[in-house]
Amino acid sequence: EVHLVESGGGLVQPGGSLRLSCAASGFTFSSFSMHWVRQAPGKGLEWVSYISSSSSIHSADSVRGRFTISRDNAKNSLYLQINSLRAEDTAMYYCARPLISSGWSGFGYWGQGTLVAVSS
Amino acid sequence: EIVLTQSPATLSLSPGERATLSCRASQSVSTSLAWYQQKPGQAPRLLIYDASNRATGIPARFSGSGSGTDFTLTISSLEPEDFAVYYCQQRSNWPPITFGQGTRLEIK
C-alpha cells in the first residue's frame, strides 16, 4: 500500500526557513515523479513544485527562487526547502504522487499534509 | 498560464439527485484534466483522470466528460458521503499545473 507521510512544518517568522520532508513507502519511489501542492486555510489547491524521477524540476512562479524541491531515492524521501517565508506561504503542504509512473494520470496518492504557519 | 474556471461555486442538492459540475479552461487542455474530491480535514482524492477515466476504487456514479476547454463531472445519484468540495486540475501546458477554484457541493 502506498503511503506518503509529510513532516517538518511549524510556526516560523517572516523571512525564516523550513525543510519539509515526505517519506514514501509501498512503491518504487525512484520510478515516480513527485509533487508538492499547498492549500492556504479555507482556500483552494495550489501546485508548488515538481521533480521527475531523474531530478528535473519545475516550480510555480510564486515560489521560484525561494523554494527548492529535491529527492533522495536511497531514503525514499522527497524534500522541500522553503526560504524567505512570507505570510502568504501559510498553508498545508501536501506531497503527491501521480497515479501511474508514465504519462499524466492525476495525483493518485497524497500525504496527510504538514502545516506551515508564517507569523511574527 | 491556463486558468480553470469552475461553476457553480456552490451547488445545493439532495441525496439521490444528479449533480453536474463544470470546469472551463482558458485554452485547450485536450483531455489532460483531472477531478478531485476533498472533504474537511482530508487530503484531496483523485476521482477522474484524462477527463473521463475513473481512478481505482471510485464508484461508477462518478463520471467525467469533455475535451478541449469544457469539462463536466457528473454524479448520477448523490450519496450522503458525496457532499464535499470538488476541484478540476490540468497539466496540458505546464508548468504550471493549475487547479480550478473549486465547487462546494452541499446538502439542500
Side-chain angles (χ1 to χ4, degrees):
Chain A
E1 185 180 359
V2 173
H3 272 117
L4 299 171
V5 180
E6 301 94 336
S7 61
L11 177 63
V12 62
Q13 292 187 337
S17 298
L18 281 175
R19 190 194 197 203
L20 308 184
S21 299
C22 172
S25 62
F27 65 101
T28 305
F29 180 73
S30 59
S31 296
F32 284 83
S33 63
M34 296 293 294
H35 298 256
W36 287 98
V37 176
R38 69 182 179 181
Q39 186 170 36
K43 302 299 185 181
L45 300 168
E46 179 186 17
W47 172 78
V48 172
S49 197
Y50 153 93
I51 187 166
S52 73
S53 57
S54 58
S55 295
S56 298
I57 64 174
H58 293 302
S59 293
D61 287 348
S62 59
V63 306
R64 193 171 297 130
R66 299 188 300 123
F67 290 15
T68 303
I69 190 172
S70 62
R71 65 190 299 159
D72 186 335
N73 289 337
K75 294 183 178 180
N76 290 338
S77 292
L78 175 72
Y79 305 102
L80 187 68
Q81 177 68 41
I82 50 179
N83 299 328
S84 304
L85 278 159
R86 307 165 180 168
E88 55 265 34
D89 295 319
T90 294
M92 184 72 77
Y93 284 74
Y94 296 100
C95 64
R97 197 208 85 173
L99 185 64
I100 59 177
S101 61
S102 61
W104 168 237
S105 57
F107 296 156
Y109 299 93
W110 297 68
Q112 84 291 346
T114 187
L115 184 61
V116 173
V118 183
S119 176
S120 55
Chain B
E1 172 176 325
I2 295 178
V3 176
L4 298 178
T5 303
Q6 293 187 239
S7 61
T10 303
L11 184 58
S12 299
L13 294 171
S14 301
E17 291 192 292
R18 182 184 187 90
T20 303
L21 287 67
S22 175
C23 177
R24 176 164 290 178
S26 59
Q27 63 190 79
S28 176
V29 299
S30 184
T31 58
S32 295
L33 191 106
W35 289 94
Y36 299 85
Q37 175 193 68
Q38 188 178 32
K39 297 179 180 180
Q42 295 184 16
R45 177 173 72 144
L46 177 67
L47 301 174
I48 302 288
Y49 64 95
D50 284 349
S52 61
N53 294 307
R54 267 191 307 277
T56 306
I58 301 304
R61 63 181 182 273
F62 290 91
S63 63
S65 64
S67 66
T69 60
D70 289 297
F71 300 87
T72 301
L73 174 69
T74 301
I75 311 171
S76 59
S77 179
L78 285 165
E79 297 288 341
E81 61 268 27
D82 298 337
F83 293 91
V85 179
Y86 292 83
Y87 295 96
C88 57
Q89 176 203 37
Q90 70 80 28
R91 204 210 74 164
S92 174
N93 183 12
W94 75 293
I97 291 171
T98 53
F99 291 89
Q101 83 281 11
T103 289
R104 181 177 305 277
L105 178 57
E106 63 177 27
I107 299 177
K108 186 174 182 180

